[in-house]
Amino acid sequence: MTKAASWAIMILGILYFVLPLWGMVEFSLSMRRGVYSFDAYTAVLSDPQFRQTFSYSVLMALLTILFGILLVVPTAFWVQLKLPRLRPLIEFITLMPLVIPAIVTVFGYIRLYNTSSWLPLTGTTLGTNFLLVMGYATLSLPYMYRAVDTGLRSIDVATLTEAAQSLGAGWVRIIGQIILPNVLVAVLSGSFVTFAIVMGEFTMAALLNRPAFGPYLQLMGANKAYEPFALATIAFVITWACMGLIQLVTRFTKHTKAGR
Amino acid sequence: MADLPPVKRRISLTWLGLLPFIAFIVLFLALPTMKIVIGAFQRPDGSFTLSNLAGLFTPTILGSYWISIKISLASSAIGCLVGFLMAAGMVLGGLPKAIRSPLLTFSGVASNFAGVPLAFAFLATLGPLGLVTMFLRHEFGINLRAMGFNILSFWGLTITYLFFQIPLMILIITPALDGLKREWREAASCLGASGAQYWRIVALPILFPTILGTFALLFANAFGAVATAIALTGSSLNIVPIMLFAQIRGDVLGDPHLGYAMAFGMILVTGLANVIYILLRMRSERWLK
């Protein structure tokens, strides 16, 4: 490939990526005729429904992250320590949510856990919220598991465990106080991806009828002129911030390692 | 499992550590999927039948699958091509090194920036009052609408999907391009091969499994995308995810088991695409390690 051709395709590509973002931001700023203003943002931020759906999604994201850590860290640790032969299988299973579309999974939830089934989770608000967190945990499983597994591979799990055991530590203590701090960066990366996924998720929340940020975005898009673009900009900034934080924690730990 | 005798318990203690994970997977991934797959072959009274699947072969549903497949094919083919060219320009085209890190980071963000906000971004750009639409009309007198372009259409959706397809291709193909060894190029030119010959005979055959595999992955990615499509087109374009969404929401087809069949069809398509991806991935790793 010649240099000129490389530049041409790169510039065209970047133009394609910048224009929609530019268009989105421009639109979100042009609520007042003739001048740029933050009117759309003010309108959005003062909407009680925005605050409710946004904080609902934040809460769901935090619960999903908490559940994800409690599920994935001990599992990946156990596979690494005791069942290394099962690793390809477990890894394959964790990738399945990328194969089965979210809309199919949530359809299965609705049919399996409806009010007339053996486990009527959708019958109560608490049950539906629980189901939604499980759904989000499924969606983020590929990213969470990969991150933690990679983190675990870079430390000597067997030696750490033996050392802790000979000092009399139990499993909970080993995982909580020895393993977890050692893979904290990996866990944080997984958590930020999970946060970004949950904040923007639409399908599951909409089909389970939960008041999350994604369905609210869609509703606003159908009913308002400028506010949706302010919301989309906010959503993009959140995604961007999550990815930025991943880079930041990764870089931060590289420094601490180099300093030793 | 709680009432196993103590002796057996000691033996199975190792895999018991995976019990929470297994329980989670069974309850929230395996059983729901199986419910869909089995439901696709069941009558409402529980007896088995193939009539649900036969119900897929109505013009409306078949048409929706066809549009979905076309959009997925178009967006993954163009996504692969553009992503490949951008990555090749970055890795081999002599562009400044400084471009690499921002482009990869941006690709990470953009490949996660799907869903409703993405639809809004494109509405603000190529919609009736969008940035580019207005610019073209005022500066060049080009009326996209009169030329038959509509963001709520096959091409509108395809162009929108490219926003997460191209970055995904860049993310996957960059390591593969990094894996092309200098020696291969040197050996080829020692034997008198031109640049084009090197690409046609050496590099592309090596990269081919990765490219084709990624194509399959992008296809599945586009096929399962729901939120972007719904936010962009409402229900004006009958693609499979939108039909299924409407079916789950309001049972519009009047037959819940047809919904199972549609969902089963989606699993079949994305599953097949992913099997192709995995097989080709294993093939390509032979060369690129």
Side-chain angles (χ1 to χ4, degrees), chain A residues 29 42 49-50 55 61 90 95 98 101 141 160 192 199 229:
Chain A
L29 293 173
T42 327
Q49 226 190 332
F50 165 77
S55 46
I90 303 287
L95 290 177
L98 296 180
L141 188 65
L160 283 174
F192 290 135
M199 289 311 289
F229 302 99

Side-chain angles (χ1 to χ4, degrees), chain A residues 75-84 157-159 161-162 165 171:
Chain A
T75 304
F77 164 75
W78 197 253
V79 170
Q80 170 111 339
L81 188 70
K82 299 271 181 177
L83 302 158
V157 171
T159 312
T161 308
E162 274 170 31
Q165 270 177 331
W171 289 117

Side-chain angles (χ1 to χ4, degrees), chain B residues 145-191:
Chain B
R145 197 136 210 161
M147 289 165 67
F149 179 81
N150 180 356
I151 188 78
L152 316 176
S153 68
F154 170 82
W155 280 112
L157 213 51
T158 304
I159 291 177
T160 308
Y161 281 9
L162 284 175
F163 199 89
F164 55 80
Q165 299 282 55
I166 296 174
L168 200 55
M169 176 67 176
I170 295 179
L171 285 180
I172 299 178
I173 201 72
T174 301
L177 285 168
D178 284 334
L180 289 178
K181 294 195 176 58
R182 267 186 92 94
E183 292 88 338
W184 299 340
R185 172 131 226 175
E186 283 161 6
S189 63
C190 281
L191 293 167

Side-chain angles (χ1 to χ4, degrees), chain B residues 100-159:
Chain B
R100 188 186 171 104
S101 168
L103 186 66
L104 287 180
T105 310
F106 179 81
S107 297
V109 179
S111 59
N112 280 305
F113 186 61
V116 185
L118 179 63
F120 292 164
F122 274 85
L123 273 176
T125 311
L126 288 167
L129 293 171
L131 189 73
V132 171
T133 317
M134 296 309 267
F135 178 77
L136 288 177
R137 190 183 301 167
H138 288 153
E139 302 296 320
F140 299 100
I142 301 171
N143 189 341
L144 285 178
R145 197 136 210 161
M147 289 165 67
F149 179 81
N150 180 356
I151 188 78
L152 316 176
S153 68
F154 170 82
W155 280 112
L157 213 51
T158 304
I159 291 177

Side-chain angles (χ1 to χ4, degrees), chain B residues 24 48 57 60 77 109 149 170 175 192 197 227 241 269 274 288:
Chain B
F24 172 75
F48 284 89
F57 292 89
T60 329
V109 179
F149 179 81
I170 295 179
Q197 274 174 321
V269 174
N274 277 281
L288 292 167

